[in-house]
Amino acid sequence: MTFRADITIMPHRALLDPQGKAVTKSMGNIGLPGIENVRIGKHIQLDVNAETKEEAEKQVKTACDKLLANPIMEVCEFSISELETA
């Protein structure tokens, strides 16, 4: 079976996010002063071939822990859905 993983990686809340801070500051410059506390992260989408959803989740967790995210600085969350076969 093939599953689709949607992964969101964000900096830990306690850490400074210079990119997010710069974007937050720029919001006022473009007439959007009500937008505050911008945090910049990354979104990754990948397909996983696995026998079960649980096995796909295990593979994605391993990928996040070992390659995609730095656990010291980032938090990784994901969702898994089964892809429809044509």
Side-chain angles (χ1 to χ4, degrees), residues 1-5 46-50 55-57 59-60 80:
M1 296 171 67
T2 302
F3 297 90
R4 167 83 26 96
L46 50 88
D47 293 345
V48 182
N49 292 310
E55 178 59 33
E57 288 172 348
Q59 289 184 45
V60 171
I80 303 274

Side-chain angles (χ1 to χ4, degrees), residues 37-57:
N37 300 318
V38 175
R39 305 286 289 173
I40 304 291
K42 46 191 166 177
H43 179 84
I44 300 167
Q45 188 177 73
L46 50 88
D47 293 345
V48 182
N49 292 310
E51 293 293 321
T52 64
K53 184 175 182 178
E54 291 76 22
E55 178 59 33
E57 288 172 348

Side-chain angles (χ1 to χ4, degrees), residues 7 11 20-21 23 27 34 46-47 49 56 65 71:
I7 305 164
K21 193 164 188 73
V23 170
M27 289 297 174
L46 50 88
D47 293 345
N49 292 310
D65 292 346

